Amino acid sequence: MMKYISCILLVCIIFSLTYCDEFKDKDDETTNGSMSRIDRVKEVSDFGANPGNLKMFQYIPPGIPADTKVPLLVALHGCDMDALSYLNAGWLQMADEYKFSIVAPEQKIENDFYEIGCFNFYKPEDFARDQGETKSVKSMIDHMVTLDSIDESK
């Protein structure tokens, strides 16, 4: 399972490094006075257990019918980044185009010993199942599922 998760993270990193510039300028476009994509990202403070002390941001693309369930993407930013800038690097445009929701955990500087906003993947208490940061991310996913718009089979 860990090998599978590592492969997914690697694909996300490669995508970010390859396509960030292609989408960057287009993401903040508005249509007919509507909100820009980045303005539709919502910070959620009450999403459940948060032993990792992370922030949560969610994005649900507009125009999805109420009875439609969509896939959920978990977007983890890299070191020295934040969730909003990472989302604005192409993920929001893709979510609109391909109809998926996004949950974006964000590391707080005070949680990172090196103070550059890295997730604590090197601390056993943060990457062990149902503990620390992994528990916080799982709570975010569970919160998104309760919104009744997430297709849990994808």
Side-chain angles (χ1 to χ4, degrees):
M1 182 66 167
M2 197 63 175
K3 187 176 181 180
Y4 177 74
I5 292 171
S6 297
C7 288
I8 291 173
L9 290 174
L10 180 60
V11 168
C12 290
I13 291 168
I14 291 170
F15 170 83
S16 296
L17 295 174
T18 307
Y19 295 105
C20 280
D21 289 337
E22 180 179 333
F23 293 106
K24 193 183 321 179
D25 296 330
K26 299 175 188 174
D27 279 338
D28 250 353
E29 293 176 4
T30 59
T31 306
N32 300 327
S34 64
M35 294 174 66
S36 69
R37 287 184 183 97
I38 199 69
D39 291 335
R40 291 192 311 259
V41 175
K42 178 182 170 190
E43 183 171 0
V44 178
S45 57
D46 186 20
F47 56 85
N50 188 12
N53 192 30
L54 302 176
K55 288 183 179 182
M56 175 190 170
F57 293 89
Q58 74 178 25
Y59 182 76
I60 300 171
I64 296 175
D67 60 342
T68 303
K69 296 191 181 280
V70 298
L72 176 66
L73 174 85
V74 178
L76 296 172
H77 65 78
C79 295
D80 206 23
M81 294 178 77
D82 59 55
L84 292 178
S85 61
Y86 186 59
L87 289 175
N88 204 32
W91 291 111
L92 301 178
Q93 181 180 358
M94 287 190 359
D96 285 352
E97 184 176 342
Y98 297 108
K99 302 298 183 211
F100 60 85
S101 292
I102 303 174
V103 62
E106 182 177 281
Q107 181 61 276
K108 295 179 183 176
I109 294 295
E110 63 264 20
N111 295 343
D112 177 21
F113 175 78
Y114 300 105
E115 296 184 351
I116 56 174
C118 296
F119 288 101
N120 293 312
F121 61 88
Y122 52 88
K123 290 183 173 179
E125 66 270 18
D126 275 313
F127 68 76
R129 172 173 257 168
D130 289 328
Q131 294 183 31
E133 292 176 3
T134 56
K135 176 69 173 178
S136 296
V137 173
K138 176 71 166 80
S139 294
M140 293 175 196
I141 294 168
D142 292 342
H143 173 77
M144 292 294 289
V145 169
T146 65
L147 299 177
D148 204 32
S149 63
I150 301 302
D151 183 350
E152 294 180 74
S153 70
K154 297 189 177 187

